[in-house]
Amino acid sequence: MKIVYLDAATVGDVSFASIAALGDLVCWPESTAEEALERVKDCNVLIVNKVLVTRELLDAAPALRLVCEAATGVNNIDLEACRERNIPVRNVAGYSTDSVVQATFMHILSLLGNAPYYDNTVKNGTYSAGTLFTDVSRSFYEIRGKRIGIVGMGAIGTGVARVAEAFGMEVVYYSTSGTGHCREWPSISLEELMRTSDVISIHAPYNERTAGLIGEAELAMMKPSAIIVNMGRGGIVDEAALAQAIDNDSIGGAALDVFAREPLPGDSPLLRTRHPEKLRFTPHTAWASVEARTRLINCIADNIRTEMGL
């Protein structure tokens, strides 16, 4: 059995041993659409993350028996074309929940705690050159007692809520589906969430209900001290409007792990703000702890084992 991974570089340097044990595994770091057509010719199992699985690609793979998505979302796969060919598609859910929850609080604590400033003050010699034992020229804020408004109360949002409560935060949420199924915390309107929250944390999928959900009008509702964190999907927050809010010093800060275009274009207004100290970025890595990537590979192996009857 030949297993072809068309964009294996997306999971980095974790071991592929659990998949390799199931057949002849060929890993390509990246594949263009043209390269993919050649590389799937004799494959039985196809693994992809962002590579598009189109009708043309499926036609180029007559021996294909299974498509494995190395992620949760399958919007890069033509599901109808797979159904027509009786090719099952299997994704992996829940593997990165703990990783994203941890990354969320890494950003929240960094923003509220002004971590980069204090770190740089020691490293650049400013602290050593001073006369005081402390540096209180910049403020930081306690997380206890703050209200966190969570946009999207799925598995990750729920995980964030539980950690927030452990910190002593008040939790509220907005249901992007319009139905507040979670009864553990209050479900409120988006406007109330934006106006009353000290921390706004986004953990929603990108769809017709969330595209551009947080724009200029919503950002203008925020408290001047409030921060917003997007660990969901790029495009939920209007990046130009967010850059303007940072420029105008009208919100406390923002952290983004996801962007409307990835990689983030070099001319993005987010990279040219007057207050870069109020921004935190990670390059779509919140999902990617070593443990999460290892779980992902092992779950893909389980999917192959199950579907191929091994």
Side-chain angles (χ1 to χ4, degrees):
M1 179 174 66
K2 185 171 183 180
I3 306 168
V4 176
Y5 200 153
L6 287 178
D7 49 356
T10 57
V11 293
D13 59 355
V14 294
S15 172
F16 292 88
S18 59
I19 298 176
L22 304 177
D24 177 19
L25 174 63
V26 178
C27 289
W28 299 98
E30 298 179 71
S31 299
T32 65
E34 293 73 21
E35 290 169 340
L37 293 175
E38 183 65 30
R39 292 169 178 175
V40 300
K41 281 186 175 179
D42 58 349
C43 88
N44 307 115
V45 176
L46 176 62
I47 306 173
V48 295
N49 187 327
K50 297 298 183 185
V51 172
L52 298 180
V53 179
T54 62
R55 289 179 182 273
E56 184 182 12
L57 186 68
L58 294 170
D59 288 341
L64 187 61
R65 296 170 55 195
L66 173 66
V67 176
C68 289
E69 174 63 46
T72 301
V74 293
N75 55 308
N76 57 312
I77 299 173
D78 189 328
L79 299 177
E80 181 59 32
C82 288
R83 278 192 291 268
E84 291 172 3
R85 293 160 175 79
N86 294 315
I87 299 172
V89 176
R90 294 292 176 264
N91 68 336
V92 181
Y95 67 94
S96 64
T97 299
D98 291 339
S99 181
V100 177
V101 170
Q102 179 174 312
T104 298
F105 280 93
M106 175 186 74
H107 282 303
I108 291 172
L109 294 170
S110 176
L111 281 167
L112 293 181
N114 226 327
Y117 169 77
Y118 294 121
D119 182 58
N120 288 333
T121 292
V122 175
K123 289 178 178 175
N124 66 19
T126 300
Y127 178 55
S128 298
T131 57
L132 296 177
F133 79 95
T134 187
D135 179 350
V136 290
S137 61
R138 294 281 183 96
S139 300
F140 75 94
Y141 300 90
E142 295 179 1
I143 199 169
R144 177 173 292 276
K146 300 290 190 297
R147 169 178 275 201
I148 183 169
I150 299 173
V151 178
M153 191 61 86
I156 294 173
T158 299
V160 169
R162 296 198 191 290
V163 174
E165 279 199 326
F167 272 112
M169 301 185 79
E170 176 195 2
V171 176
V172 296
Y173 78 98
Y174 168 70
S175 171
T176 60
S177 69
T179 305
H181 294 292
C182 177
R183 297 289 182 261
E184 206 165 339
W185 300 283
S187 174
I188 63 176
S189 69
L190 181 62
E191 180 174 348
E192 183 180 355
L193 183 145
M194 299 300 298
R195 291 189 185 281
T196 64
S197 297
D198 301 293
V199 177
I200 297 160
S201 195
I202 301 169
H203 304 284
Y206 183 82
N207 54 40
E208 66 279 359
R209 293 186 298 272
T210 62
L213 182 70
I214 310 296
E216 182 179 359
E218 289 74 23
L219 292 168
M221 298 174 187
M222 291 174 60
K223 298 178 182 180
S225 59
I227 64 171
I228 185 166
V229 178
N230 186 10
M231 300 286 125
R233 284 292 181 266
I236 295 177
V237 177
D238 183 322
E239 293 172 2
L242 178 60
Q244 188 64 49
I246 294 293
D247 273 347
N248 293 341
D249 209 18
S250 60
I251 64 174
L256 302 178
D257 180 66
V258 290
F259 306 92
R261 283 181 55 198
E262 296 176 343
L264 179 68
D267 62 353
S268 168
L270 291 169
L271 300 176
R272 304 193 308 273
T273 61
R274 290 196 292 269
H275 299 287
E277 74 281 358
K278 300 181 75 168
L279 289 168
R280 303 288 185 274
F281 299 123
T282 41
H284 203 150
T285 56
W287 66 277
S289 68
V290 170
E291 293 85 353
R293 287 181 287 136
T294 300
R295 282 192 293 269
L296 174 62
I297 294 300
N298 291 337
C299 288
I300 293 171
D302 288 341
N303 284 341
I304 296 172
R305 195 177 293 110
T306 299
E307 290 298 327
M308 302 302 282
L310 301 176

